[in-house]
Amino acid sequence: MSTLRLEIGNREIQVDTQRPIDISIPLLFDGEQPEFFGAPTAKRETLSIDDFTGDTREGGSCNVATYSLTPHCNGTHTECLGHIVHDEMHVPDIVPGGLFPATLITLEPQTAARSRESSLPNPRPTDRMITAKAIKTALEDFSDELMYPALIIRTMPNSESKAAMKYRADDPPPFLSIEAASLLVELDVQHLLVDVPSVDRMDDGGRLTAHHVFWEIPPFERDRASSTRDHCTITEMIYVTDVVPDGYYLLDLQMPPFMADAAPSRPLIYQVI
């Protein structure tokens, strides 16, 4: 075991750096994968140029393929404020790199009719929302020492089908209420990770209310300067298996240097010993 010891606040913690837990969804270019917002599936195509074929099975000297994907829709991805503003922002510039504290919680989304929390446009009674009340309840057993800057939210039920879910507008996945997004700001959560395809409702008329609340930017505002939280990120479409307990972790938010508002990502977490 390779143990890393460090201090956070007044507390000393340890993690086993040889036992990372991958909470991303593997992107299978030739297999089942999540589908969201009607985007085309991610694909791989053999590169063919003149007499060159990038497939050893077809007589090529090596394997060379072209990959196409939509990061926001084809699996685990991390996005920055550039997702909703005119300013060009690159998520690799926003993610700090290295390890930082994270808390994993599990909660059950509530129907809008039952929760009495809000969203814009007004939620349908059957819409399922990740509520402020549920987040507060899940955090009751945690202190503030290791909770921030990242919060990982696992929703119930937690079927393995999340790894290849076909999301539909007529049966939308859960999303954050306004109160929940506001609570995350109040708690100073800087890096949010969720196992739903979007923190907003799938068909919200382009409002992206929870995104705007989380990044503290007025509704429909497109100027980066209007945000007070342009250093924060949202990671969507993770999957945390049931065997991983709620608790304190260190998070390594890995991603390729795609200079874009969002990029496929591979969040790894290390349980605090």
PDB file of all heavy atoms in Angstrom, residues 103-109 130-143 147 151-156 183-184 187 245-248:
ATOM      1  N   THR A 103     -16.853  15.135  -0.805  1.00  0.00           N
ATOM      2  CA  THR A 103     -17.780  14.366   0.020  1.00  0.00           C
ATOM      3  C   THR A 103     -18.784  13.686  -0.894  1.00  0.00           C
ATOM      4  O   THR A 103     -19.363  14.334  -1.771  1.00  0.00           O
ATOM      5  CB  THR A 103     -18.524  15.277   1.014  1.00  0.00           C
ATOM      6  OG1 THR A 103     -17.567  15.979   1.812  1.00  0.00           O
ATOM      7  CG2 THR A 103     -19.423  14.452   1.922  1.00  0.00           C
ATOM      8  N   LEU A 104     -18.973  12.396  -0.701  1.00  0.00           N
ATOM      9  CA  LEU A 104     -19.960  11.634  -1.456  1.00  0.00           C
ATOM     10  C   LEU A 104     -21.205  11.434  -0.603  1.00  0.00           C
ATOM     11  O   LEU A 104     -21.115  10.950   0.530  1.00  0.00           O
ATOM     12  CB  LEU A 104     -19.384  10.267  -1.854  1.00  0.00           C
ATOM     13  CG  LEU A 104     -20.367   9.230  -2.400  1.00  0.00           C
ATOM     14  CD1 LEU A 104     -21.024   9.705  -3.690  1.00  0.00           C
ATOM     15  CD2 LEU A 104     -19.670   7.881  -2.597  1.00  0.00           C
ATOM     16  N   ILE A 105     -22.354  11.822  -1.151  1.00  0.00           N
ATOM     17  CA  ILE A 105     -23.623  11.616  -0.467  1.00  0.00           C
ATOM     18  C   ILE A 105     -24.588  10.883  -1.396  1.00  0.00           C
ATOM     19  O   ILE A 105     -24.439  10.919  -2.619  1.00  0.00           O
ATOM     20  CB  ILE A 105     -24.260  12.938   0.005  1.00  0.00           C
ATOM     21  CG1 ILE A 105     -24.562  13.859  -1.187  1.00  0.00           C
ATOM     22  CG2 ILE A 105     -23.378  13.631   1.028  1.00  0.00           C
ATOM     23  CD1 ILE A 105     -25.340  15.115  -0.822  1.00  0.00           C
ATOM     24  N   THR A 106     -25.556  10.223  -0.796  1.00  0.00           N
ATOM     25  CA  THR A 106     -26.595   9.529  -1.554  1.00  0.00           C
ATOM     26  C   THR A 106     -27.948  10.074  -1.137  1.00  0.00           C
ATOM     27  O   THR A 106     -28.199  10.278   0.059  1.00  0.00           O
ATOM     28  CB  THR A 106     -26.548   8.016  -1.286  1.00  0.00           C
ATOM     29  OG1 THR A 106     -25.254   7.522  -1.635  1.00  0.00           O
ATOM     30  CG2 THR A 106     -27.605   7.284  -2.101  1.00  0.00           C
ATOM     31  N   LEU A 107     -28.811  10.319  -2.102  1.00  0.00           N
ATOM     32  CA  LEU A 107     -30.133  10.851  -1.793  1.00  0.00           C
ATOM     33  C   LEU A 107     -31.148  10.350  -2.811  1.00  0.00           C
ATOM     34  O   LEU A 107     -30.789   9.837  -3.871  1.00  0.00           O
ATOM     35  CB  LEU A 107     -30.111  12.379  -1.744  1.00  0.00           C
ATOM     36  CG  LEU A 107     -29.579  13.132  -2.979  1.00  0.00           C
ATOM     37  CD1 LEU A 107     -30.635  13.248  -4.060  1.00  0.00           C
ATOM     38  CD2 LEU A 107     -29.098  14.511  -2.584  1.00  0.00           C
ATOM     39  N   GLU A 108     -32.400  10.493  -2.469  1.00  0.00           N
ATOM     40  CA  GLU A 108     -33.471  10.102  -3.369  1.00  0.00           C
ATOM     41  C   GLU A 108     -34.192  11.341  -3.869  1.00  0.00           C
ATOM     42  O   GLU A 108     -34.719  12.119  -3.058  1.00  0.00           O
ATOM     43  CB  GLU A 108     -34.461   9.180  -2.666  1.00  0.00           C
ATOM     44  CG  GLU A 108     -35.540   8.644  -3.595  1.00  0.00           C
ATOM     45  CD  GLU A 108     -36.404   7.584  -2.957  1.00  0.00           C
ATOM     46  OE1 GLU A 108     -36.114   7.196  -1.796  1.00  0.00           O
ATOM     47  OE2 GLU A 108     -37.367   7.131  -3.617  1.00  0.00           O
ATOM     48  N   PRO A 109     -34.207  11.581  -5.170  1.00  0.00           N
ATOM     49  CA  PRO A 109     -34.954  12.723  -5.712  1.00  0.00           C
ATOM     50  C   PRO A 109     -36.428  12.635  -5.327  1.00  0.00           C
ATOM     51  O   PRO A 109     -36.983  11.545  -5.192  1.00  0.00           O
ATOM     52  CB  PRO A 109     -34.748  12.602  -7.221  1.00  0.00           C
ATOM     53  CG  PRO A 109     -33.490  11.806  -7.370  1.00  0.00           C
ATOM     54  CD  PRO A 109     -33.507  10.828  -6.232  1.00  0.00           C
ATOM     55  N   ILE A 130     -33.682  16.895  -7.377  1.00  0.00           N
ATOM     56  CA  ILE A 130     -32.683  16.820  -6.310  1.00  0.00           C
ATOM     57  C   ILE A 130     -32.883  18.073  -5.476  1.00  0.00           C
ATOM     58  O   ILE A 130     -32.666  19.181  -5.956  1.00  0.00           O
ATOM     59  CB  ILE A 130     -31.265  16.755  -6.890  1.00  0.00           C
ATOM     60  CG1 ILE A 130     -31.107  15.483  -7.730  1.00  0.00           C
ATOM     61  CG2 ILE A 130     -30.218  16.816  -5.793  1.00  0.00           C
ATOM     62  CD1 ILE A 130     -29.819  15.434  -8.545  1.00  0.00           C
ATOM     63  N   THR A 131     -33.334  17.916  -4.258  1.00  0.00           N
ATOM     64  CA  THR A 131     -33.789  19.048  -3.461  1.00  0.00           C
ATOM     65  C   THR A 131     -32.765  19.497  -2.428  1.00  0.00           C
ATOM     66  O   THR A 131     -31.883  18.728  -2.017  1.00  0.00           O
ATOM     67  CB  THR A 131     -35.092  18.703  -2.735  1.00  0.00           C
ATOM     68  OG1 THR A 131     -34.831  17.635  -1.793  1.00  0.00           O
ATOM     69  CG2 THR A 131     -36.168  18.262  -3.721  1.00  0.00           C
ATOM     70  N   ALA A 132     -32.929  20.730  -1.995  1.00  0.00           N
ATOM     71  CA  ALA A 132     -32.095  21.261  -0.919  1.00  0.00           C
ATOM     72  C   ALA A 132     -32.323  20.467   0.358  1.00  0.00           C
ATOM     73  O   ALA A 132     -31.372  20.173   1.105  1.00  0.00           O
ATOM     74  CB  ALA A 132     -32.410  22.740  -0.707  1.00  0.00           C
ATOM     75  N   LYS A 133     -33.565  20.104   0.613  1.00  0.00           N
ATOM     76  CA  LYS A 133     -33.878  19.346   1.824  1.00  0.00           C
ATOM     77  C   LYS A 133     -33.145  18.016   1.833  1.00  0.00           C
ATOM     78  O   LYS A 133     -32.580  17.603   2.858  1.00  0.00           O
ATOM     79  CB  LYS A 133     -35.381  19.120   1.926  1.00  0.00           C
ATOM     80  CG  LYS A 133     -35.797  18.354   3.172  1.00  0.00           C
ATOM     81  CD  LYS A 133     -37.313  18.185   3.244  1.00  0.00           C
ATOM     82  CE  LYS A 133     -37.715  17.404   4.492  1.00  0.00           C
ATOM     83  NZ  LYS A 133     -39.182  17.219   4.579  1.00  0.00           N
ATOM     84  N   ALA A 134     -33.131  17.320   0.685  1.00  0.00           N
ATOM     85  CA  ALA A 134     -32.459  16.022   0.620  1.00  0.00           C
ATOM     86  C   ALA A 134     -30.953  16.170   0.796  1.00  0.00           C
ATOM     87  O   ALA A 134     -30.307  15.340   1.446  1.00  0.00           O
ATOM     88  CB  ALA A 134     -32.769  15.345  -0.715  1.00  0.00           C
ATOM     89  N   ILE A 135     -30.365  17.219   0.220  1.00  0.00           N
ATOM     90  CA  ILE A 135     -28.929  17.457   0.374  1.00  0.00           C
ATOM     91  C   ILE A 135     -28.596  17.749   1.831  1.00  0.00           C
ATOM     92  O   ILE A 135     -27.634  17.202   2.394  1.00  0.00           O
ATOM     93  CB  ILE A 135     -28.466  18.613  -0.533  1.00  0.00           C
ATOM     94  CG1 ILE A 135     -28.610  18.228  -2.011  1.00  0.00           C
ATOM     95  CG2 ILE A 135     -27.019  18.995  -0.226  1.00  0.00           C
ATOM     96  CD1 ILE A 135     -28.322  19.361  -2.978  1.00  0.00           C
ATOM     97  N   LYS A 136     -29.390  18.594   2.479  1.00  0.00           N
ATOM     98  CA  LYS A 136     -29.151  18.919   3.891  1.00  0.00           C
ATOM     99  C   LYS A 136     -29.230  17.671   4.760  1.00  0.00           C
ATOM    100  O   LYS A 136     -28.398  17.451   5.650  1.00  0.00           O
ATOM    101  CB  LYS A 136     -30.169  19.948   4.366  1.00  0.00           C
ATOM    102  CG  LYS A 136     -29.965  21.354   3.816  1.00  0.00           C
ATOM    103  CD  LYS A 136     -31.050  22.291   4.320  1.00  0.00           C
ATOM    104  CE  LYS A 136     -30.886  23.688   3.779  1.00  0.00           C
ATOM    105  NZ  LYS A 136     -31.966  24.601   4.239  1.00  0.00           N
ATOM    106  N   THR A 137     -30.226  16.832   4.500  1.00  0.00           N
ATOM    107  CA  THR A 137     -30.380  15.599   5.273  1.00  0.00           C
ATOM    108  C   THR A 137     -29.181  14.682   5.084  1.00  0.00           C
ATOM    109  O   THR A 137     -28.658  14.107   6.051  1.00  0.00           O
ATOM    110  CB  THR A 137     -31.668  14.866   4.859  1.00  0.00           C
ATOM    111  OG1 THR A 137     -32.796  15.713   5.117  1.00  0.00           O
ATOM    112  CG2 THR A 137     -31.830  13.568   5.632  1.00  0.00           C
ATOM    113  N   ALA A 138     -28.718  14.547   3.848  1.00  0.00           N
ATOM    114  CA  ALA A 138     -27.575  13.673   3.562  1.00  0.00           C
ATOM    115  C   ALA A 138     -26.290  14.179   4.188  1.00  0.00           C
ATOM    116  O   ALA A 138     -25.377  13.392   4.475  1.00  0.00           O
ATOM    117  CB  ALA A 138     -27.403  13.532   2.053  1.00  0.00           C
ATOM    118  N   LEU A 139     -26.195  15.479   4.411  1.00  0.00           N
ATOM    119  CA  LEU A 139     -24.968  16.078   4.956  1.00  0.00           C
ATOM    120  C   LEU A 139     -24.979  16.193   6.478  1.00  0.00           C
ATOM    121  O   LEU A 139     -23.994  16.636   7.064  1.00  0.00           O
ATOM    122  CB  LEU A 139     -24.755  17.477   4.357  1.00  0.00           C
ATOM    123  CG  LEU A 139     -24.347  17.532   2.881  1.00  0.00           C
ATOM    124  CD1 LEU A 139     -24.326  18.977   2.394  1.00  0.00           C
ATOM    125  CD2 LEU A 139     -22.985  16.872   2.663  1.00  0.00           C
ATOM    126  N   GLU A 140     -26.059  15.768   7.117  1.00  0.00           N
ATOM    127  CA  GLU A 140     -26.183  15.976   8.554  1.00  0.00           C
ATOM    128  C   GLU A 140     -25.071  15.320   9.360  1.00  0.00           C
ATOM    129  O   GLU A 140     -24.681  15.827  10.419  1.00  0.00           O
ATOM    130  CB  GLU A 140     -27.543  15.467   9.047  1.00  0.00           C
ATOM    131  CG  GLU A 140     -28.699  16.390   8.698  1.00  0.00           C
ATOM    132  CD  GLU A 140     -30.043  15.838   9.167  1.00  0.00           C
ATOM    133  OE1 GLU A 140     -30.085  14.659   9.587  1.00  0.00           O
ATOM    134  OE2 GLU A 140     -31.024  16.596   9.111  1.00  0.00           O
ATOM    135  N   ASP A 141     -24.561  14.199   8.897  1.00  0.00           N
ATOM    136  CA  ASP A 141     -23.543  13.470   9.648  1.00  0.00           C
ATOM    137  C   ASP A 141     -22.119  13.888   9.309  1.00  0.00           C
ATOM    138  O   ASP A 141     -21.162  13.270   9.780  1.00  0.00           O
ATOM    139  CB  ASP A 141     -23.694  11.967   9.407  1.00  0.00           C
ATOM    140  CG  ASP A 141     -25.003  11.426   9.958  1.00  0.00           C
ATOM    141  OD1 ASP A 141     -25.520  11.998  10.934  1.00  0.00           O
ATOM    142  OD2 ASP A 141     -25.518  10.446   9.387  1.00  0.00           O
ATOM    143  N   PHE A 142     -21.977  14.935   8.498  1.00  0.00           N
ATOM    144  CA  PHE A 142     -20.646  15.367   8.095  1.00  0.00           C
ATOM    145  C   PHE A 142     -20.288  16.702   8.736  1.00  0.00           C
ATOM    146  O   PHE A 142     -21.139  17.571   8.906  1.00  0.00           O
ATOM    147  CB  PHE A 142     -20.562  15.513   6.568  1.00  0.00           C
ATOM    148  CG  PHE A 142     -20.720  14.218   5.828  1.00  0.00           C
ATOM    149  CD1 PHE A 142     -21.963  13.803   5.351  1.00  0.00           C
ATOM    150  CD2 PHE A 142     -19.624  13.393   5.608  1.00  0.00           C
ATOM    151  CE1 PHE A 142     -22.115  12.614   4.673  1.00  0.00           C
ATOM    152  CE2 PHE A 142     -19.764  12.198   4.928  1.00  0.00           C
ATOM    153  CZ  PHE A 142     -21.005  11.806   4.453  1.00  0.00           C
ATOM    154  N   SER A 143     -19.008  16.848   9.049  1.00  0.00           N
ATOM    155  CA  SER A 143     -18.523  18.145   9.514  1.00  0.00           C
ATOM    156  C   SER A 143     -18.069  18.942   8.305  1.00  0.00           C
ATOM    157  O   SER A 143     -18.059  18.450   7.178  1.00  0.00           O
ATOM    158  CB  SER A 143     -17.352  17.959  10.484  1.00  0.00           C
ATOM    159  OG  SER A 143     -16.201  17.499   9.785  1.00  0.00           O
ATOM    160  N   MET A 147     -15.479  18.602   3.681  1.00  0.00           N
ATOM    161  CA  MET A 147     -16.593  18.566   2.740  1.00  0.00           C
ATOM    162  C   MET A 147     -16.278  19.268   1.430  1.00  0.00           C
ATOM    163  O   MET A 147     -16.748  18.885   0.375  1.00  0.00           O
ATOM    164  CB  MET A 147     -17.831  19.209   3.372  1.00  0.00           C
ATOM    165  CG  MET A 147     -19.111  19.011   2.563  1.00  0.00           C
ATOM    166  SD  MET A 147     -20.488  19.859   3.344  1.00  0.00           S
ATOM    167  CE  MET A 147     -20.501  19.086   4.952  1.00  0.00           C
ATOM    168  N   LEU A 151     -18.460  18.222  -4.103  1.00  0.00           N
ATOM    169  CA  LEU A 151     -19.565  17.420  -3.598  1.00  0.00           C
ATOM    170  C   LEU A 151     -20.005  16.464  -4.699  1.00  0.00           C
ATOM    171  O   LEU A 151     -20.246  16.882  -5.838  1.00  0.00           O
ATOM    172  CB  LEU A 151     -20.740  18.300  -3.173  1.00  0.00           C
ATOM    173  CG  LEU A 151     -21.958  17.554  -2.604  1.00  0.00           C
ATOM    174  CD1 LEU A 151     -21.595  16.863  -1.285  1.00  0.00           C
ATOM    175  CD2 LEU A 151     -23.129  18.516  -2.393  1.00  0.00           C
ATOM    176  N   ILE A 152     -20.103  15.181  -4.359  1.00  0.00           N
ATOM    177  CA  ILE A 152     -20.513  14.136  -5.290  1.00  0.00           C
ATOM    178  C   ILE A 152     -21.891  13.646  -4.865  1.00  0.00           C
ATOM    179  O   ILE A 152     -22.068  13.217  -3.714  1.00  0.00           O
ATOM    180  CB  ILE A 152     -19.512  12.969  -5.286  1.00  0.00           C
ATOM    181  CG1 ILE A 152     -18.094  13.475  -5.552  1.00  0.00           C
ATOM    182  CG2 ILE A 152     -19.914  11.903  -6.305  1.00  0.00           C
ATOM    183  CD1 ILE A 152     -17.003  12.453  -5.239  1.00  0.00           C
ATOM    184  N   ILE A 153     -22.861  13.706  -5.767  1.00  0.00           N
ATOM    185  CA  ILE A 153     -24.226  13.314  -5.446  1.00  0.00           C
ATOM    186  C   ILE A 153     -24.602  12.055  -6.224  1.00  0.00           C
ATOM    187  O   ILE A 153     -24.594  12.053  -7.455  1.00  0.00           O
ATOM    188  CB  ILE A 153     -25.223  14.443  -5.759  1.00  0.00           C
ATOM    189  CG1 ILE A 153     -24.909  15.677  -4.898  1.00  0.00           C
ATOM    190  CG2 ILE A 153     -26.657  13.973  -5.508  1.00  0.00           C
ATOM    191  CD1 ILE A 153     -25.822  16.861  -5.192  1.00  0.00           C
ATOM    192  N   ARG A 154     -24.921  10.994  -5.474  1.00  0.00           N
ATOM    193  CA  ARG A 154     -25.420   9.749  -6.047  1.00  0.00           C
ATOM    194  C   ARG A 154     -26.929   9.686  -5.789  1.00  0.00           C
ATOM    195  O   ARG A 154     -27.370   9.880  -4.654  1.00  0.00           O
ATOM    196  CB  ARG A 154     -24.723   8.551  -5.415  1.00  0.00           C
ATOM    197  CG  ARG A 154     -25.320   7.204  -5.791  1.00  0.00           C
ATOM    198  CD  ARG A 154     -24.454   6.052  -5.251  1.00  0.00           C
ATOM    199  NE  ARG A 154     -24.097   6.221  -3.854  1.00  0.00           N
ATOM    200  CZ  ARG A 154     -23.135   5.536  -3.222  1.00  0.00           C
ATOM    201  NH1 ARG A 154     -22.432   4.630  -3.884  1.00  0.00           N
ATOM    202  NH2 ARG A 154     -22.865   5.747  -1.955  1.00  0.00           N
ATOM    203  N   THR A 155     -27.704   9.431  -6.825  1.00  0.00           N
ATOM    204  CA  THR A 155     -29.154   9.398  -6.675  1.00  0.00           C
ATOM    205  C   THR A 155     -29.668   7.962  -6.664  1.00  0.00           C
ATOM    206  O   THR A 155     -29.077   7.065  -7.263  1.00  0.00           O
ATOM    207  CB  THR A 155     -29.857  10.174  -7.803  1.00  0.00           C
ATOM    208  OG1 THR A 155     -29.531   9.573  -9.066  1.00  0.00           O
ATOM    209  CG2 THR A 155     -29.443  11.638  -7.799  1.00  0.00           C
ATOM    210  N   MET A 156     -30.762   7.798  -5.969  1.00  0.00           N
ATOM    211  CA  MET A 156     -31.432   6.500  -5.904  1.00  0.00           C
ATOM    212  C   MET A 156     -32.720   6.547  -6.727  1.00  0.00           C
ATOM    213  O   MET A 156     -33.377   7.598  -6.785  1.00  0.00           O
ATOM    214  CB  MET A 156     -31.741   6.153  -4.444  1.00  0.00           C
ATOM    215  CG  MET A 156     -30.499   6.057  -3.572  1.00  0.00           C
ATOM    216  SD  MET A 156     -29.370   4.739  -4.087  1.00  0.00           S
ATOM    217  CE  MET A 156     -30.334   3.293  -3.632  1.00  0.00           C
ATOM    218  N   LEU A 183     -28.337  26.294  -2.364  1.00  0.00           N
ATOM    219  CA  LEU A 183     -27.667  25.730  -1.197  1.00  0.00           C
ATOM    220  C   LEU A 183     -26.216  25.394  -1.515  1.00  0.00           C
ATOM    221  O   LEU A 183     -25.320  25.625  -0.689  1.00  0.00           O
ATOM    222  CB  LEU A 183     -28.402  24.474  -0.728  1.00  0.00           C
ATOM    223  CG  LEU A 183     -27.746  23.702   0.424  1.00  0.00           C
ATOM    224  CD1 LEU A 183     -27.683  24.553   1.681  1.00  0.00           C
ATOM    225  CD2 LEU A 183     -28.495  22.392   0.681  1.00  0.00           C
ATOM    226  N   LEU A 184     -25.948  24.858  -2.707  1.00  0.00           N
ATOM    227  CA  LEU A 184     -24.571  24.530  -3.083  1.00  0.00           C
ATOM    228  C   LEU A 184     -23.700  25.776  -3.109  1.00  0.00           C
ATOM    229  O   LEU A 184     -22.526  25.742  -2.721  1.00  0.00           O
ATOM    230  CB  LEU A 184     -24.564  23.840  -4.449  1.00  0.00           C
ATOM    231  CG  LEU A 184     -25.314  22.503  -4.520  1.00  0.00           C
ATOM    232  CD1 LEU A 184     -25.296  21.971  -5.947  1.00  0.00           C
ATOM    233  CD2 LEU A 184     -24.729  21.486  -3.555  1.00  0.00           C
ATOM    234  N   LEU A 187     -22.995  26.747   0.465  1.00  0.00           N
ATOM    235  CA  LEU A 187     -21.996  25.862   1.060  1.00  0.00           C
ATOM    236  C   LEU A 187     -20.623  26.016   0.420  1.00  0.00           C
ATOM    237  O   LEU A 187     -19.665  25.370   0.840  1.00  0.00           O
ATOM    238  CB  LEU A 187     -22.454  24.407   0.925  1.00  0.00           C
ATOM    239  CG  LEU A 187     -23.722  24.011   1.693  1.00  0.00           C
ATOM    240  CD1 LEU A 187     -24.114  22.576   1.342  1.00  0.00           C
ATOM    241  CD2 LEU A 187     -23.511  24.160   3.187  1.00  0.00           C
ATOM    242  N   PRO A 245     -19.093   3.503  -0.312  1.00  0.00           N
ATOM    243  CA  PRO A 245     -19.879   4.120   0.753  1.00  0.00           C
ATOM    244  C   PRO A 245     -19.850   5.644   0.704  1.00  0.00           C
ATOM    245  O   PRO A 245     -18.895   6.246   0.200  1.00  0.00           O
ATOM    246  CB  PRO A 245     -19.204   3.610   2.024  1.00  0.00           C
ATOM    247  CG  PRO A 245     -17.771   3.411   1.621  1.00  0.00           C
ATOM    248  CD  PRO A 245     -17.817   2.937   0.189  1.00  0.00           C
ATOM    249  N   ASP A 246     -20.904   6.240   1.215  1.00  0.00           N
ATOM    250  CA  ASP A 246     -20.875   7.689   1.425  1.00  0.00           C
ATOM    251  C   ASP A 246     -19.721   8.019   2.363  1.00  0.00           C
ATOM    252  O   ASP A 246     -19.378   7.238   3.259  1.00  0.00           O
ATOM    253  CB  ASP A 246     -22.183   8.169   2.058  1.00  0.00           C
ATOM    254  CG  ASP A 246     -23.337   8.186   1.069  1.00  0.00           C
ATOM    255  OD1 ASP A 246     -23.145   7.754  -0.076  1.00  0.00           O
ATOM    256  OD2 ASP A 246     -24.438   8.623   1.452  1.00  0.00           O
ATOM    257  N   GLY A 247     -19.137   9.179   2.174  1.00  0.00           N
ATOM    258  CA  GLY A 247     -18.051   9.558   3.071  1.00  0.00           C
ATOM    259  C   GLY A 247     -17.117  10.567   2.458  1.00  0.00           C
ATOM    260  O   GLY A 247     -17.414  11.195   1.433  1.00  0.00           O
ATOM    261  N   TYR A 248     -15.960  10.697   3.092  1.00  0.00           N
ATOM    262  CA  TYR A 248     -14.942  11.644   2.666  1.00  0.00           C
ATOM    263  C   TYR A 248     -13.969  10.994   1.689  1.00  0.00           C
ATOM    264  O   TYR A 248     -13.546   9.844   1.869  1.00  0.00           O
ATOM    265  CB  TYR A 248     -14.151  12.145   3.867  1.00  0.00           C
ATOM    266  CG  TYR A 248     -14.944  12.977   4.832  1.00  0.00           C
ATOM    267  CD1 TYR A 248     -14.972  12.655   6.188  1.00  0.00           C
ATOM    268  CD2 TYR A 248     -15.660  14.090   4.404  1.00  0.00           C
ATOM    269  CE1 TYR A 248     -15.686  13.429   7.084  1.00  0.00           C
ATOM    270  CE2 TYR A 248     -16.379  14.865   5.294  1.00  0.00           C
ATOM    271  CZ  TYR A 248     -16.396  14.526   6.633  1.00  0.00           C
ATOM    272  OH  TYR A 248     -17.108  15.282   7.523  1.00  0.00           O
TER     273      TYR A 248
END
